[in-house]
């Protein structure tokens, strides 16, 4: 099964986005889809994450370090987990939700696949990242290779280190380091995502973005469901990690989104 057929079977169609939403995403490079996870889902996911962090201990996020395509697999100021595809049915929604997939395909087209599904939590007093794009070079407008979705497990705010984005920079054909003296600095046009837990924010990953510093006493938790065009390498080689029980659970459409068929 190809990804276009899988998207159709999963109910992901352009009609799930309004024209206003499409225009905003095209112009700004990001879009808040609103609250997609309900409170029961959030609680189950948070509990699962807590248990995984405890059980994996010092090995948490080790899969990220095995990838040549993840530039920052370990951060002193953040908790990480990798390969969530194979760590519980709670995570299936992150790459099969029709409205999220509709927004991803609006950026990448229907020839897409999941690149990685990872957890990141900015610890208190940490989390600041330089502005960056998730592709090593600038690309022509419209020739986009990568697109991300941030699933908020906590409310995102300026106080707790929410992600910042610079609207429209996916169209600039420049990387932050090409035009900024120091990409760690604040950008005069940056916007900080402020939204409630359970929300999902899509962003064209060629848009400049980065985490900010968490000034609260609690971690700021999120899951990144990251997609790429089918002609691009996955951050996590889904074929390498796929477990038989995962394949059985997600069925053919899910497997096509993972590109493991």
């Amino acid at each position: 099964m190809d990804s276009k057929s899988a998207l159709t079977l999963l109910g992901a169609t352009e009609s799930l986005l309004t024209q206003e939403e499409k225009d905003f995403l095209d112009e700004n490079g990001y879009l808040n889809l609103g609250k997609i996870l309900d409170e029961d889902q959030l609680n189950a996911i948070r509990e699962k994450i807590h248990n995984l962090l405890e059980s994996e201990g010092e090995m948490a996020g080790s899969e990220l370090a095995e990838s040549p395509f993840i530039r920052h697999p370990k951060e002193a100021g953040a908790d990480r987990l990798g390969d969530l595809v194979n760590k519980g049915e709670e995570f299936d929604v992150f790459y099969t939700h029709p409205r999220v997939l509709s927004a991803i395909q609006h950026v990448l087209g229907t020839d897409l696949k999941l690149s990685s599904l990872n957890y990141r939590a900015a610890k208190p007093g940490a989390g600041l990242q330089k502005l960056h794009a998730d592709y090593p070079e600038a690309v022509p407008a419209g020739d986009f290779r990568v697109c991300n979705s941030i699933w908020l497990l906590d409310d995102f705010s300026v106080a707790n280190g929410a992600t910042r984005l610079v609207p429209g920079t996916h169209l600039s054909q420049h990387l932050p380091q090409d035009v900024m003296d120091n990409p760690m600095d604040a950008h005069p046009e940056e916007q900080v995502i402020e939204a409630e837990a359970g929300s999902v924010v899509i962003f064209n990953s060629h848009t400049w973005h980065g985490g900010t510093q968490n000034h609260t006493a609690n971690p700021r938790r999120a899951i990144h469901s990251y997609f790429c065009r089918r002609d691009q390498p996955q951050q996590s080689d889904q074929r390498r990690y796929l477990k038989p029980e995962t394949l059985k659970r997600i069925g053919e459409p899910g497997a096509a989104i993972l590109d493991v068929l």
Side-chain angles (χ1 to χ4, degrees):
M1 179 181 293
D2 59 21
S3 57
K4 183 177 181 180
S5 300
L7 290 166
T8 299
L9 288 172
L10 290 168
T13 66
E14 287 273 343
S15 64
L16 295 183
L17 299 181
T18 66
Q19 190 59 51
E20 183 181 14
E21 288 175 322
K22 294 174 188 176
D23 291 344
F24 189 93
L25 179 55
D26 290 341
E27 294 167 14
N28 294 281
Y30 71 98
L31 175 67
N32 184 353
L33 292 177
K35 186 161 182 170
I36 285 179
L37 298 174
D38 63 30
E39 293 305 313
D40 288 341
Q41 287 174 300
L42 279 170
N43 288 332
I45 291 163
R46 289 166 179 155
E47 182 178 4
K48 185 71 172 184
I49 290 291
H50 174 77
N51 292 338
L52 287 170
L53 288 170
E54 285 206 334
S55 64
E56 295 189 17
E58 290 299 315
M59 295 301 293
S62 60
E63 300 94 344
L64 306 178
E66 296 171 359
S67 171
F69 303 109
I70 296 179
R71 285 175 287 176
H72 305 291
K74 280 285 188 180
E75 298 176 76
D79 290 323
R80 303 294 300 273
L81 287 168
D83 186 36
L84 294 182
V85 167
N86 291 292
K87 294 181 180 177
E89 63 182 357
E90 296 89 346
F91 304 117
D92 294 349
V93 66
F94 291 90
Y95 57 96
T96 60
H97 192 281
R99 187 156 146 79
V100 173
L101 287 173
S102 296
I104 298 291
Q105 77 169 346
H106 184 73
V107 174
L108 298 180
T110 58
D111 199 27
L112 57 76
K113 60 186 175 183
L114 183 77
S115 181
S116 60
L117 184 61
N118 304 321
Y119 167 81
R120 180 180 183 270
K123 296 179 181 180
L128 179 64
Q129 297 175 316
K130 67 180 180 180
L131 283 171
H132 62 281
D134 290 335
Y135 201 75
E137 59 192 47
V139 301
D143 187 25
F144 303 124
R145 323 288 173 81
V146 286
C147 189
N148 211 339
S149 59
I150 309 177
W151 298 65
L152 283 56
L153 302 186
D154 296 300
D155 293 346
F156 268 36
S157 68
V158 172
N160 71 1
T163 304
R164 56 180 174 147
L165 303 115
V166 184
T169 46
H170 61 303
L171 304 173
S172 70
Q173 298 185 42
H174 294 290
L175 298 177
Q177 61 267 30
D178 298 332
V179 295
M180 294 180 69
D181 291 333
N182 184 359
M184 294 293 288
D185 292 342
H187 190 282
E189 298 175 14
E190 73 183 31
Q191 299 288 323
V192 176
I193 295 171
E194 294 195 276
E196 66 177 321
S199 300
V200 178
V201 177
I202 303 293
F203 67 95
N204 182 321
S205 296
H206 301 277
T207 305
W208 303 356
H209 62 279
T212 60
Q213 186 170 357
N214 183 355
H215 297 284
T216 71
N218 299 306
R220 192 269 296 149
R221 299 169 292 180
I223 288 177
H224 293 203
S225 184
Y226 180 63
F227 294 80
C228 63
R229 220 166 56 187
R230 220 166 176 87
D231 61 357
Q232 300 296 306
Q234 292 168 317
Q235 283 190 333
S236 297
D237 184 345
Q238 302 299 331
R239 292 175 185 269
R240 173 184 175 186
Y241 293 106
L242 186 69
K243 295 180 178 179
E245 57 265 33
T246 301
L247 182 60
K248 181 179 179 180
R249 184 181 71 242
I250 63 176
E252 195 171 354
I257 297 298
L258 298 179
D259 193 23
V260 295
L261 293 178

